[in-house]
Amino acid sequence: MNYEETEDALDAYVRSHIDAEPGYLHQVQRLTHLRLTYSRMCSGHIQGRLLKMLCQLANAHRILELGTFSGYSALSMAEALTPDPINGQAELHTIEVFDELEDFEREMLAKAGELGQKIHLHIGDALQLIPQVSQEVGAPWDVCFIDADKRIYDEYFKLVLPHMKPGGLIICDNTLWAGKVLDPSPKESDLQTRGLQRFNDMIATDNRVEKVILPMRDGLTLLRVKPTACH
């Protein structure tokens, strides 16, 4: 068995030994592969179950997502939402820059019924919408999932951090970028690799967050916001 066959076999083994993928998410993944370009961007079964569990551990009442794509990750995280005991909030806000995806995204949210109703889709530039949506929600985010433009992860982080609750969780996808972050001199035109390297280097020395990188899929960075960062 070669390396790729081993990877596929291990992936299948993991999927068969974790919680099953809900039917509506299986449908989202299937339609994503049938109808959208770059379908590999869909979080999928394993990452979806991890995102749900992380949000459960964070006791999430309010979740912010940057980069909706087909809605799979938003729906996975929304499963974990619990009402805030003070104001009853239990909502996920997701921001997508590509308006051509909106019809597909709203269709997928509608297929999820009541769960999809907890998700608020915003179309536009996340750099402009993060402060606006955070102000409208009126309470700190418990979890933020960053999976948008790799060139400006550092800017997303700087904007999101002041709106996180003490002890909140920031999850950043694709931070290993198929190993390209190891390249000491990426091409000038490779702005995504350069952006992720800049973000990873910045986070490594940022004492406002605890950090760990999971070598899962394309790299998943978990950041826990220290209470002192929110003062």
Side-chain angles (χ1 to χ4, degrees), residues 31 37 42 56 88 136-137 140 154 171-172 194 204 227:
L31 292 174
T37 308
C42 183
Q56 285 176 318
E136 290 174 356
V137 169
D154 55 340
I171 308 168
C172 309
R194 287 177 173 271

Side-chain angles (χ1 to χ4, degrees), residues 29 32-33 36-44 47-48 51 65-74 96-98 101 105 145 147-150 153 173-174 177 192 217-218:
Q29 183 162 214
T32 298
H33 282 78
L36 298 185
T37 308
Y38 303 115
S39 58
R40 62 184 179 83
M41 291 169 54
C42 183
S43 290
Q47 185 169 345
L51 290 173
E65 177 183 54
L66 311 182
T68 313
F69 190 49
S70 63
Y72 192 103
S73 52
E96 175 58 55
V97 70
F98 295 114
L101 290 172
E105 292 162 347
F145 181 45
D147 189 18
D149 190 342
K150 316 308 171 191
Y153 265 30
D173 202 9
N174 307 118
W177 206 229
Q192 293 178 318
R217 295 187 71 194
D218 210 11

Side-chain angles (χ1 to χ4, degrees), residues 4-112:
E4 290 185 357
E5 290 174 334
T6 300
E7 286 289 294
D8 289 342
L10 283 173
D11 185 74
Y13 180 87
V14 170
R15 284 187 280 108
S16 68
H17 286 78
I18 64 174
D19 288 346
E21 182 181 48
Y24 62 88
L25 281 179
H26 179 75
Q27 186 177 23
V28 171
Q29 183 162 214
R30 179 176 177 275
L31 292 174
T32 298
H33 282 78
L34 285 174
R35 292 164 51 183
L36 298 185
T37 308
Y38 303 115
S39 58
R40 62 184 179 83
M41 291 169 54
C42 183
S43 290
H45 181 188
I46 299 172
Q47 185 169 345
R49 294 303 87 194
L50 176 61
L51 290 173
K52 176 192 174 185
M53 183 174 288
L54 289 172
C55 291
Q56 285 176 318
L57 292 172
N59 192 30
H61 312 307
R62 290 165 293 274
I63 301 172
L64 174 65
E65 177 183 54
L66 311 182
T68 313
F69 190 49
S70 63
Y72 192 103
S73 52
L75 286 165
S76 297
M77 292 186 290
E79 290 183 59
L81 284 169
T82 59
D84 188 312
I86 297 176
N87 59 22
Q89 282 181 323
E91 57 193 270
L92 185 151
H93 291 257
T94 182
I95 300 174
E96 175 58 55
V97 70
F98 295 114
D99 55 5
E100 63 267 28
L101 290 172
E102 182 176 1
D103 289 345
F104 182 90
E105 292 162 347
R106 294 198 182 281
E107 179 186 345
M108 296 304 103
L109 298 183
K111 288 180 181 296

Side-chain angles (χ1 to χ4, degrees), residues 175-219:
T175 49
L176 297 181
W177 206 229
K180 293 180 182 179
V181 292
L182 296 175
D183 187 347
S185 302
K187 295 178 180 179
E188 289 289 338
S189 60
D190 191 355
L191 300 179
Q192 293 178 318
T193 297
R194 287 177 173 271
L196 287 169
Q197 288 175 329
R198 185 172 61 251
F199 170 74
N200 289 339
D201 290 344
M202 179 188 73
I203 290 300
T205 59
D206 194 322
N207 293 324
R208 295 172 297 176
V209 292
E210 300 173 26
K211 72 280 295 183
V212 65
I213 300 178
L214 303 179
M216 174 185 180
R217 295 187 71 194
D218 210 11

